[in-house]
């Protein structure tokens, strides 16, 4: 390696290289710069320039750049910590973050290689980000131990990254424990745990944490004051739970902090209000955003809201408006296709699909298959599956099976069920749909055979349950529930409901009870579905005229759909039900789905 030039010349040369470095954009340019460092002697003598070059290559989007960065790291006789961190950072952000962990363990650079330098807080931070992206909880635990051993537990940013890594790995208990043990936090720490709980399995705990923060925020130091990220995490939890009252609380708190016009918060409010069944409020927030401030996410959220609530025509019109100012992405097309699907706009859906300016993925194809299947165009739906540029997955065959069940086509149902078995699917819905097809044709021996297969494969049917929120408290009901403290009142209310809606012509749709049992037993089985119990409780627990909101984990059955329509007419109530697929808004005897679901 040549000796470095004189001090003045070296300073000028380094300054020139520093100015060139940000303009490097291609792998050939990286190699030229690397050669210049080698021939000038700066590769070994100027650690700062070398580390910044490594960082530049490691974060480059070019596939060949990162391997070159590792080659450069391996060629350095005595790498320093900054060199290692540049490579760790690039690998952690790459499509293969596990390689960052391999580098940290010293297994990525084959012998003979220089010894790795001493790790610092940044090294651990990049490694924790990699383990979070890999959802590698055991590695996060090992890094936690290393963090303690190196004595860097006072580094707030690093420990915040540890909380985030535990949360993203699904170890929410450890994330909470680390959070509670911190003596100093900042807002990023709160946000890391909030987002982890909200997007994981504990949205209830996310809201408990948010209320703790909101109720004491005036006493918190400035570094812990809530920001727009805090609001979006809390709103995500509200949307998951369908908790409109908590959503209102978060919205009001955002107003107090002057964050209600922040575009990220507005986008989250649209999503939250939509998922909580308040389409009008979601659209109010969308229309409150100035046109020039609306982002791709703003339009996607509003189109998705309209689609989920069955307003496919409005979703199409908003999509057309958006297309004049913002280029749609895959999420936009999926949202508008779902709107066409829920509204039965088959020709419009096919037109949008054929005009897509992005490459369709399996979800886009799945929506088209569902669109055609619901409309009874089963041959076209099947042809779409068979003509896709990639193999059909489990969800697509389940979609075809659902269409076959809807239209009572046994042959297609059997074909789809066979394909699902070949793909290794063993969920209860597959068996139930096939069983329902047989039962609708009174083929009880085939029904028994399917149920025997379920028992032999240890498959259990997911029980139906529903939630309704009354005065900020979520009440859960399962089919035939007698666990609620007011169950006797609820059952009496149900008897009165049946009596009143019978005057409007209600007759139980016993075809929905697909068992070989007597008519009276079928009527009893129908009467105590979880959504009926939730609606009955809402009627006795809320003042007249108040909107009732119910969340159901499964698709609403035909009889419950008829009953909800008649209750809305008999009792003068608006009833909003969010099932596994979409929203139904019942008002004055009609449903927003127009009975197309």
């Amino acid at each position: 390696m040549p000796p470095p030039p004189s001090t003045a010349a070296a300073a000028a040369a380094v300054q020139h290289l520093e100015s060139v470095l940000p303009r490097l954009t291609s792998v050939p340019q990286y190699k030229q710069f690397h050669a210049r460092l080698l021939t000038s002697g700066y590769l070994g003598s100027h650690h700062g320039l070398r580390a910044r070059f490594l960082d530049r290559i490691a974060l480059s989007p070019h596939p060949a750049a990162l391997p070159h960065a590792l080659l450069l790291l391996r060629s350095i006789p005595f790498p320093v910590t900054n060199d290692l961190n540049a490579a760790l950072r690039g690998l952690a952000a790459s499509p293969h973050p596990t390689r960052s962990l391999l580098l940290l363990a010293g297994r990525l650079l084959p012998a003979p290689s220089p010894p790795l330098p001493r790790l610092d807080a940044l090294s651990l931070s990049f490694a924790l980000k990699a383990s979070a992206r890999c959802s590698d909880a055991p590695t996060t635990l090992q890094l936690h131990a290393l963090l303690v051993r190196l004595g860097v537990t006072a580094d707030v940013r690093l420990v915040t990254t540890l909380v985030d890594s535990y949360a993203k790995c699904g170890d929410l208990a450890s994330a909470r424990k680390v959070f509670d043990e911190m003596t100093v936090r900042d807002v990023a720490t709160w946000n890391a745990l909030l987002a982890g709980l909200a997007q994981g399995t504990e949205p209830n705990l996310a809201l408990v944490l948010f209320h703790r923060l909101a109720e004491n925020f005036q006493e918190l130091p400035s570094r812990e004051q809530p920001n727009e990220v805090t609001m979006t995490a809390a709103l995500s939890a509200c949307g998951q739970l369908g908790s409109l009252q908590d959503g209102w609380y978060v919205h009001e708190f955002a107003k107090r902090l002057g964050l209600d016009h922040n575009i990220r918060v507005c986008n989250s409010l649209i999503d939250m209000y939509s998922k909580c069944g308040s389409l009008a409020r979601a659209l109010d927030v969308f229309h409150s955003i100035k046109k020039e401030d609306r982002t791709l996410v703003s339009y996607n959220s509003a189109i998705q809201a309209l689609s989920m609530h069955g307003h496919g025509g409005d979703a199409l019109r908003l999509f057309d408006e958006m297309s004049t100012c913002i280029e749609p992405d895959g999420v936009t097309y999926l949202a508008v296709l779902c709107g066409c699907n829920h509204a039965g706009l088959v020709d419009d859906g096919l037109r949008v699909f054929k005009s897509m300016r992005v490459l369709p993925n399996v979800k886009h194809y799945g929506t088209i298959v569902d669109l055609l299947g619901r409309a009874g165009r089963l041959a076209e739906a099947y042809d779409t599956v068979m003509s896709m540029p990639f193999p059909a997955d489990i969800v697509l065959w389940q979609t075809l099976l659902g269409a076959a069940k809807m239209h009572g086509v046994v042959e297609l149902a059997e074909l789809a069920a066979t394909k699902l078995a070949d793909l290794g699917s063993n969920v209860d819905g597959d068996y139930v749909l096939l069983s329902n097809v047989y039962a609708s044709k009174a083929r009880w021996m085939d029904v028994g055979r399917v149920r025997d297969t379920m028992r032999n494969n240890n498959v259990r049917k997911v029980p139906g349950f529903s939630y309704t929120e009354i005065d900020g408290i979520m009440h859960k009901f399962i089919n035939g529930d007698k666990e609620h403290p007011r169950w006797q009142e609820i059952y009496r209310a149900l008897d009165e409901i049946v009596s009143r809606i019978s005057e409007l012509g209600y007759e139980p749709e016993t075809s929905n009870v697909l068992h070989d049992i007597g008519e009276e037993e079928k009527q009893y089985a129908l009467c105590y579905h979880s959504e009926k119990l939730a609606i009955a409780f809402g009627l006795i627990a809320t003042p007249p005229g108040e909107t009732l909101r119910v969340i159901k984990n499964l698709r609403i059955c035909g009889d419950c759909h008829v009953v909800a329509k008649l209750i809305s007419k008999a009792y003068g109530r608006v009833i909003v039900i969010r099932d596994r697929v979409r929203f139904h808004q019942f008002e004055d005897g009609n449903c927003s789905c127009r009975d197309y679901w």
Side-chain angles (χ1 to χ4, degrees):
M1 185 177 292
S6 64
T7 306
V14 168
Q15 187 175 8
H16 171 69
L17 290 172
E18 291 276 15
S19 68
V20 170
L21 185 57
R23 300 199 295 272
L24 302 179
T25 57
S26 67
V27 174
Q29 290 176 344
Y30 298 146
K31 290 181 177 179
Q32 289 175 355
F33 195 89
H34 187 181
R36 181 69 182 275
L37 290 180
L38 281 169
T39 57
S40 64
Y42 294 133
L43 189 66
S45 64
H46 205 291
H47 296 170
L49 178 60
R50 182 181 72 204
R52 283 189 288 278
F53 176 50
L54 253 173
D55 195 57
R56 177 82 180 178
I57 311 176
L59 292 174
S60 169
H62 295 284
L66 190 55
H68 189 80
L70 294 174
L71 181 67
L72 172 57
L73 179 65
R74 186 182 176 191
S75 70
I76 301 170
F78 300 102
V80 297
T81 302
N82 284 347
D83 298 324
L84 173 66
N85 288 348
L88 285 172
R89 181 185 181 192
L91 289 166
S94 77
H96 306 287
T98 49
R99 299 177 71 191
S100 180
L101 305 175
L102 292 172
L103 176 60
L104 192 72
R107 295 200 298 270
L108 194 60
L109 299 176
S113 295
L116 289 177
R118 177 180 173 81
L119 303 178
D120 64 4
L122 269 179
S123 314
L124 294 176
S125 177
F126 296 138
L128 284 167
K129 288 174 182 176
S131 65
R133 289 190 63 207
C134 301
S135 297
D136 189 345
T139 296
T140 298
L141 180 62
Q142 291 176 334
L143 290 169
H144 187 179
L146 189 56
L147 187 148
V148 173
R149 197 177 82 195
L150 293 177
V152 288
T153 54
D155 188 320
V156 176
R157 288 188 178 182
L158 178 59
V159 180
T160 295
T161 307
L162 175 64
V163 171
D164 185 62
S165 185
Y166 270 131
K168 287 177 177 173
C169 291
D171 189 351
L172 298 177
S174 294
R176 291 171 58 198
K177 186 173 186 295
V178 172
F179 177 89
D180 290 336
E181 290 173 352
M182 293 177 71
T183 55
V184 178
R185 306 184 187 98
D186 61 18
V187 67
T189 317
W190 287 89
N191 292 345
L193 185 58
L194 262 174
L197 293 169
Q199 295 162 17
T201 57
E202 299 287 358
N204 278 307
L205 289 179
L207 290 178
V208 170
L209 184 68
F210 177 80
H211 282 286
R212 172 180 155 192
L213 173 64
E215 289 162 9
N216 299 291
F217 84 100
Q218 291 178 322
E219 302 167 14
L220 296 173
S222 58
R223 66 176 179 274
E224 294 188 58
Q225 290 298 305
N227 59 17
E228 70 275 10
V229 180
T230 319
M231 301 301 134
T232 57
L235 290 168
S236 172
C238 297
Q240 276 204 59
L241 293 168
S243 177
L244 186 59
Q245 189 155 326
D246 280 311
W248 285 334
Y249 179 85
V250 177
H251 193 174
E252 288 302 312
F253 187 65
K255 288 179 182 177
R256 287 177 63 189
L257 297 183
L259 293 170
D260 55 314
H261 294 297
N262 177 281
I263 191 63
R264 292 182 64 184
V265 175
C266 287
N267 294 342
S268 296
L269 283 167
I270 296 168
D271 183 66
M272 178 277 294
Y273 278 127
S274 169
K275 289 178 178 175
C276 291
S278 183
L279 177 62
R281 286 178 179 268
L283 295 178
D284 285 345
V285 174
F286 175 76
H287 291 302
S288 74
I289 307 171
K290 294 178 181 177
K291 266 197 173 183
E292 60 270 22
D293 294 335
R294 292 173 188 168
T295 65
L296 176 65
V297 176
S298 308
Y299 278 103
N300 285 352
S301 300
I303 292 170
Q304 183 65 50
L306 289 164
S307 296
M308 288 172 62
H309 286 263
H311 297 268
D314 292 333
L316 274 169
R317 283 185 283 275
L318 186 57
F319 170 73
D320 291 336
E321 175 193 312
M322 169 195 175
S323 301
T324 63
C325 54
I326 295 179
E327 186 69 21
D329 66 356
V331 176
T332 318
Y333 284 110
L334 184 61
V336 76
L337 287 173
C338 286
C340 294
N341 185 17
H342 292 323
L345 303 174
V346 181
D347 292 337
D348 287 309
L350 292 172
R351 173 180 57 81
V352 170
F353 182 71
K354 290 173 183 175
S355 68
M356 285 180 64
R357 296 197 289 269
V358 299
L359 200 63
N361 61 31
V362 70
K363 290 185 178 179
H364 298 110
Y365 276 99
T367 306
I368 290 299
V369 170
D370 197 29
L371 176 76
L372 292 166
R374 287 177 185 274
R377 295 162 63 168
L378 299 182
E380 291 174 74
Y382 177 76
D383 289 344
T384 301
V385 171
M386 300 311 294
S387 64
M388 292 190 312
F390 33 71
D393 64 3
I394 286 173
V395 175
L396 273 166
W397 287 112
Q398 287 172 336
T399 302
L400 266 185
L401 179 56
K405 180 261 178 187
M406 180 181 294
H407 297 284
V409 181
V410 176
E411 296 79 8
L412 182 59
E414 290 175 333
L415 171 64
T418 301
K419 293 287 187 181
L420 286 166
D422 292 343
L423 289 170
S425 178
N426 195 40
V427 297
D428 69 299
D430 302 346
Y431 296 95
V432 171
L433 284 173
L434 182 59
S435 173
N436 289 355
V437 175
Y438 287 138
S440 67
K441 305 294 184 183
R443 290 173 54 171
W444 301 114
M445 289 185 63
D446 288 318
V447 170
R449 176 174 55 80
V450 172
R451 290 185 180 162
D452 287 343
T453 305
M454 286 182 72
R455 279 192 292 271
N456 294 337
N457 292 345
N458 198 30
V459 178
R460 296 183 182 276
K461 186 176 178 181
V462 175
F465 61 82
S466 298
Y467 289 97
T468 188
E469 183 180 24
I470 307 293
D471 295 330
I473 299 172
M474 282 290 186
H475 297 261
K476 180 179 179 181
F477 299 90
I478 60 173
N479 292 347
D481 196 355
K482 292 186 178 179
E483 296 299 316
H484 194 277
R486 298 176 66 179
W487 73 268
Q488 290 177 314
E489 292 178 72
I490 294 168
Y491 275 55
R492 285 196 295 271
L494 265 178
D495 290 339
E496 182 195 332
I497 287 169
V498 171
S499 175
R500 286 183 64 171
I501 65 177
S502 294
E503 295 173 7
L504 298 176
Y506 169 65
E507 291 184 7
E509 291 194 9
T510 54
S511 61
N512 290 288
V513 184
L514 300 172
H515 301 280
D516 189 16
I517 56 177
E519 190 68 18
E520 187 175 334
E521 291 169 283
K522 288 184 177 183
Q523 291 186 21
Y524 182 86
L526 276 176
C527 189
Y528 301 111
H529 277 189
S530 63
E531 55 267 60
K532 290 191 180 84
L533 296 172
I535 293 171
F537 177 62
L539 288 173
I540 64 176
T542 60
E546 186 168 310
T547 297
L548 304 180
R549 302 178 193 277
V550 176
I551 302 170
K552 183 171 173 67
N553 69 320
L554 304 175
R555 188 170 177 269
I556 187 173
C557 80
D559 186 74
C560 289
H561 194 267
V562 170
V563 167
K565 286 199 297 182
L566 293 173
I567 291 175
S568 72
K569 186 174 184 66
Y571 288 82
R573 296 285 193 119
V574 175
I575 303 170
V576 180
I577 296 182
R578 182 178 105 183
D579 72 6
R580 185 175 57 84
V581 177
R582 58 170 298 161
F583 278 90
H584 298 264
Q585 180 165 316
F586 303 92
E587 188 171 3
D588 195 29
N590 297 303
C591 179
S592 58
C593 75
R594 299 177 181 86
D595 296 336
Y596 187 88
W597 53 283

